[in-house]
Amino acid sequence: MRLMDSPIFLAFLATLFTWGMTALGAALVFFFKDIKKSMLNTMLGFASGVMIAASFWSLLNPALEMAPDTSSLPAWLVVGIGFMLGGIFLWGADKLLPHQHFSADKNAVEGLPSHLRRSILLVLSITLHNIPEGLAVGVAFGAVANGHDTATIAAALSVAIGIGIQNFPEGAAVSIPLRREGLSRFRCFMYGQASGIVEPISAVLGAFLVTQMRSILPYALAFAAGAMIFVVIEELIPEAQIRDPKEYSKAHFVTAGAMIGFTVMMILDVALA
């Protein structure tokens, strides 16, 4: 197999794109010194919509169709197991990896005790949920090597494009708030783009595993979906919630972003399939 035909290499290239989109979004810190809460909420909502749509059309639906060909267990059980394992994995990572959310109190550090600077802890909170995004891309490309009708390069590309699109505002949502922590614009940019570096790593790992063990493919697809849904419910939506009672009228920005993100990802999946 030529290198350019390898699903592992293609997954790596695809996530270089998603990482690049994160860096492009992080570069907005050179032009803006602050970000409105309503805009941040819209970005987080958009990312949520993309991840929810990708979880079903790009991961769970193909997993349900592939399961009968790879396992004697009922398809719903295979997908259910994989989905829950994905959530459990992220729950464990959330408990172990030191991190902190932008909206949290400065002393509210999650994960194992750490003496890391707040800026690093903030970046780690975003890096954590980039893991399932990279896995989703890697597993999608790895599935192509198994020759199933629902696993095509076009479908895998739609996942990468969707993740890349939502990574652009996500990069800005990391770098610009870091300016409020007193960091220079260059350091904010470097931290923002660094949050996406885990995507190529997890993509290569995911693609490698499913190409070596065909039987785990539906589990892996569902696993990535479960991890992504966990991130949406545990991280993105709570982060976007309005905490000031005077700003409840702005809550619709979150919903609008989620609806737009879901629609964009749905169009990508259907149009490119």
Side-chain angles (χ1 to χ4, degrees), residues 54-67 79 150 221 225:
S55 294
F56 176 73
W57 271 290
S58 302
L59 301 171
L60 289 176
N61 193 46
L64 286 168
E65 295 185 12
M66 294 176 188
V79 173
T150 59
L221 288 166

Side-chain angles (χ1 to χ4, degrees), residues 111-236:
L112 295 175
S114 171
H115 297 292
L116 294 172
R117 289 176 297 177
R118 175 173 161 82
S119 57
I120 300 296
L121 293 171
L122 293 171
V123 173
L124 287 176
S125 69
I126 303 297
T127 303
L128 181 62
H129 76 67
N130 280 337
I131 295 174
E133 294 176 11
L135 278 176
V137 176
V139 171
F141 275 97
V144 175
N146 288 282
H148 198 279
D149 292 342
T150 59
T152 64
I153 289 293
L157 282 174
S158 71
V159 179
I161 293 172
I163 296 297
I165 290 173
Q166 66 100 19
N167 275 0
F168 177 79
E170 191 174 84
V174 177
S175 64
I176 295 177
L178 283 175
R179 282 288 290 161
R180 294 197 294 266
E181 301 297 319
L183 277 69
S184 68
R185 281 188 167 86
F186 179 75
R187 288 183 66 188
C188 290
F189 166 74
M190 292 303 294
Y191 283 146
Q193 63 83 30
S195 67
I197 195 172
V198 71
E199 290 188 3
I201 298 171
S202 53
V204 167
L205 178 61
F208 174 77
L209 288 176
V210 298
T211 53
Q212 297 301 308
M213 295 176 284
R214 185 174 184 272
S215 60
I216 72 166
L217 180 55
Y219 291 99
L221 288 166
F223 180 94
M228 289 176 71
I229 293 298
F230 180 93
V231 167
V232 170
I233 298 172
E234 176 75 10
E235 306 283 348
L236 298 183

Side-chain angles (χ1 to χ4, degrees), residues 1 3-12 138 141-145 203 207 211:
M1 179 184 294
L3 180 62
M4 289 300 295
D5 294 330
S6 167
I8 298 174
F9 182 68
L10 292 176
F12 176 70
F141 275 97
V144 175
T211 53

